[in-house]
Amino acid sequence: MQTSQSRSLAHCPGTDSDRTVFEIFRSSALTAMLALLTFHLTMISSSAPLYFEEEQSVDRAIELLQTKGFGTEAFLLRHTVTFRRTDNWLNRLSRKDNAFAATNLPFQIVTLYPDFFARPADDTERAMILLHEAQHLMAKDEASAYGYVWRNRARLGWTQLTHGTTETYVTIEQLTRENAPELFNCPSKVWSDCTETFTVQR
């Protein structure tokens, strides 16, 4: 009777063995969360926040995304992101020249470099850059981010007709051709751009 009872208790939920496994799992999860939080705080503390004028510029660009139908991206940028104006220690290890912005996933930190504020012609072009970074917030790679923005640029109001001569448009078009070449293999379209509505006149 005693042996049978001991075996039965050993397999019942709520025993010391089960509690130990649960406590190990809980402890491990808590440790991982604290490590991520510490990592996040070191990245925040090693970078500088936006100036007030820069915050206003970002707010206008996000609002533009919202009004143009990019609700998911606007929500992520408005409610989950910490914007910084200088590189954190991690970004300094792999700083890229001529970058408008950088996103640290999963820490939801977006660094906006001086070019983000100086080079775009208007808030529409800044919204385009944030639309690109929002794709990274959703774990999309460079090719997917460039492709998404280029395919949706008409909805954003950022097209060849409206911005085709700006420095930012020319730069992003070149980078899109490099990162998403599949969008530029339509000879019947102007500039072989498959997303263009204009066709080549023969």
Side-chain angles (χ1 to χ4, degrees):
M1 289 292 293
Q2 291 180 347
T3 303
S4 176
Q5 186 179 23
S6 298
R7 289 177 179 172
S8 177
L9 288 174
H11 290 83
C12 287
T15 64
D16 290 341
S17 176
D18 291 324
R19 281 197 297 270
T20 300
V21 171
F22 174 74
E23 288 171 357
I24 292 174
F25 174 79
R26 183 177 62 181
S27 177
S28 298
L30 181 59
T31 300
M33 290 178 61
L34 288 174
L36 286 174
L37 178 59
T38 300
F39 202 81
H40 181 270
L41 291 175
T42 64
M43 295 171 71
I44 294 295
S45 63
S46 62
S47 58
L50 299 181
Y51 294 134
F52 177 72
E53 296 79 7
E54 294 172 339
E55 289 180 347
Q56 290 183 311
S57 180
V58 170
D59 288 342
R60 290 194 305 270
I62 294 175
E63 183 60 30
L64 183 57
L65 288 177
Q66 182 72 52
T67 60
K68 294 296 185 178
F70 299 97
T72 299
E73 289 86 351
F75 178 87
L76 288 174
L77 291 163
R78 185 176 286 128
H79 298 292
T80 74
V81 168
T82 300
F83 288 103
R84 311 301 281 178
R85 64 183 307 272
T86 62
D87 276 321
N88 55 61
W89 65 266
L90 182 60
N91 285 352
R92 293 189 198 113
L93 300 177
S94 58
R95 176 73 163 92
K96 294 183 179 179
D97 293 333
N98 303 319
F100 289 105
T103 295
N104 297 115
L105 188 71
F107 303 101
Q108 304 301 92
I109 297 174
V110 175
T111 304
L112 301 176
Y113 299 116
D115 279 352
F116 174 85
F117 301 100
R119 289 179 60 189
D122 53 24
D123 288 333
T124 297
E125 294 203 322
R126 279 181 279 273
M128 175 275 301
I129 296 168
L130 292 182
L131 184 61
H132 177 105
E133 298 307 315
Q135 304 313 301
H136 292 317
L137 293 172
M138 293 185 281
K140 302 294 180 61
D141 61 14
E142 284 292 336
S144 298
Y146 276 107
Y148 181 84
V149 170
W150 198 254
R151 288 192 301 272
N152 288 278
R153 70 190 190 283
R155 176 153 65 110
L156 181 59
W158 185 68
T159 66
Q160 179 72 34
L161 290 176
T162 62
H163 293 81
T165 59
T166 70
E167 179 185 1
T168 299
Y169 191 96
V170 172
T171 298
I172 298 302
E173 179 180 10
Q174 180 181 351
L175 290 171
T176 304
R177 286 180 181 273
E178 294 173 2
N179 286 275
E182 69 279 2
L183 297 180
F184 300 90
N185 59 4
C186 296
S188 63
K189 300 284 188 176
V190 175
W191 303 290
S192 298
D193 184 349
C194 300
T195 68
E196 269 293 344
T197 57
F198 299 108
T199 56
V200 175
Q201 300 297 319
R202 299 185 184 281

